[in-house]
Amino acid sequence: VVIDGIIIVILAATGLRTMIFNAVPPALKTAITVGIGLFITFIGLVDGGLVRRNSDAANTPVPVNWGVGPNHELGIPTVVFIFGVLLIAVLMALKVRGAILIGLVVDTVVAIILEAILHIGGKFVDGKFVTPFGWDTTVPGWPTQVVALPDLSTIGQVDLFGSFGRLGALAAIMLIFTLVFSNFFDAMGTMTGLSKQAGLADDKGNFPRLTSALVVEGVGAVAGGYTSTSSNTVYIESASGIAGGARTGLATSFTGLLFIVAAFFSPLTSVVPIEVGASALVIVGCLMMAQVVDIDWKDWTISFPAFLAIVVMPFTYSIANGIGVGFVSYVIVRAFAGKAKEIHPLLWVVAAGFFVYFLLPAFHLNG
C-alpha cells in the first residue's frame, strides 16, 4: 500500500494523473457519478438488510433477494432502516436543513429504544451466525465504557519490499499494479462524483485545484500503508456531507479532527447500528442519480459506454470495474463507429491498461 501511494503521488505530481482525468469525456464522468450513486444505494440496501444474498442452495440466477426467507420476512433492524430512509426523505421534502443528520440521530434513538425493549440481539454471537433478523455488526445501546485509549501499535510496522520476498518479484509487481490501478481510478471516480454533486465541476467535469487534490489523495495512501491499514483515500460516503451543505473543505477538516478525538471514544461506536447509517446512503444515492439527465442518450457511442459504467459499478461492487468497462467499451464502440480521431490518445492507453487489469485474474499468478 505504501509503494502504491508513492506511485500515485508521483503520477499526480508530474501531472499525468490530471491529464488522464481531463481526457475522460464529460458523458463518462457523469456516468461515473450516477454509477457511484447506484453503488451507494446498493450498499445502503444491503447494509440495511432489505436486500440480502440468496442462500447457495437457492441456485437462482439472481444472487440477491428481498428480505429474508421464502416469505421475504423483515427483521426489526431492517424496519429501523426503512423508517430512517422515509424520515430523512420527508425532512428533505420539507427542506429541513441538516435533514440527514437529524434523521440519523432520531433513527438511532429509535433503535436504542427498540433494542432495550425487545432485546433483538445481533446476527452473530461470538463470531457465529445465529439469526438473520438481528442487528448486523453493532447492537445499539449505551456502552458501559465511553473512553478507551486507541491501539497505535501497528503504526510504522511496514516492510517496504517484504512482499517481493514473500510473493516473488512478478507476483508482487502484479499486486502493486492492481492496487495502483484500482486506487487510481476509484479515487478519480469518487472525486468526479463528489465534485459534480457539490457543484464544483465545470461542464467537462473538471474542478479547481485538481492536481493538489490528487497529490493529497496519494499521500493519504502512503499514510494508510504506514499505519498498516488500507489506503486513506477519498470516500463516496462524503456525499452525505455534501448533501448537508459541505462545499469548501472546512467540514471535511473538522471531520478529520473529530476522528482524532473519536479514537479515544471508540466504545461509542456501539451506539449507532449500521442499519441507521445505511439509510443516509440511499438518500445520497438518489441525489447523485439525478445527474443522469446530463448524458446524451440519443448518441449510442456515448450512451452505451455510459450505461455499462453505471450498471457495472453496483453489480460488481466496484467503482474501478465500472470505470474500466466504460472506458474499454467507449474506445471500442466509437472507434468502430468511425470516431477514432475524437478519442483522446490517453484513453487508448488507459483502456489497454484496464484490459490487462481485467485479464490478470485469469493468469493466477502465485509468484
Side-chain angles (χ1 to χ4, degrees), residues 76-148:
I76 295 298
T78 302
V79 174
V80 170
F81 158 73
I82 296 173
F83 171 75
V85 172
L86 295 177
L87 174 61
I88 296 174
V90 170
L91 290 174
M92 292 189 70
L94 296 174
K95 301 186 184 304
V96 176
R97 187 168 180 82
I100 293 178
L101 179 60
I102 294 172
L104 292 177
V105 172
V106 173
D107 206 23
T108 298
V109 173
V110 171
I112 293 174
I113 293 174
L114 288 175
E115 174 59 29
I117 296 174
L118 303 176
H119 304 290
I120 302 162
K123 289 182 182 178
F124 302 90
V125 176
D126 296 329
K128 296 182 178 180
F129 180 80
V130 291
T131 174
F133 300 106
W135 304 98
D136 196 327
T137 56
T138 301
V139 178
W142 196 254
T144 56
Q145 181 183 4
V146 175
V147 180

Side-chain angles (χ1 to χ4, degrees), residues 13 27 43 47 54 64 73 93 98 100 108-109 142 146 152 212 216 248 269 272 276 296 304 307 309 338 356:
I43 292 174
D47 287 350
N54 278 332
V64 294
E73 302 93 342
I100 293 178
T108 298
V109 173
W142 196 254
V146 175
L152 306 178
S212 299
V216 169
T248 65
T269 57
V272 183
V276 170
D296 183 5
F304 180 68
F307 165 76
V356 174

Side-chain angles (χ1 to χ4, degrees), residues 141-174:
W142 196 254
T144 56
Q145 181 183 4
V146 175
V147 180
L149 292 176
D151 182 2
L152 306 178
S153 61
T154 62
I155 295 179
Q157 300 299 314
V158 177
D159 184 353
L160 197 58
F161 299 103
S163 58
F164 288 84
R166 293 187 179 188
L167 303 177
L170 181 59
I173 290 173
M174 291 297 99

Side-chain angles (χ1 to χ4, degrees), residues 205-265:
N206 303 323
F207 59 91
R209 297 183 295 279
L210 170 60
T211 299
S212 299
L214 295 174
V215 170
V216 169
E217 194 274 331
V219 173
V222 176
Y226 183 74
T227 58
S228 302
T229 65
S230 57
S231 170
N232 288 336
T233 185
V234 55
Y235 289 96
I236 53 179
E237 288 83 359
S238 296
S240 59
I242 293 173
R247 292 294 186 277
T248 65
L250 183 62
T252 307
S253 300
F254 269 97
T255 300
L257 293 174
L258 290 173
F259 264 117
I260 295 175
V261 176
F264 296 90
F265 294 89

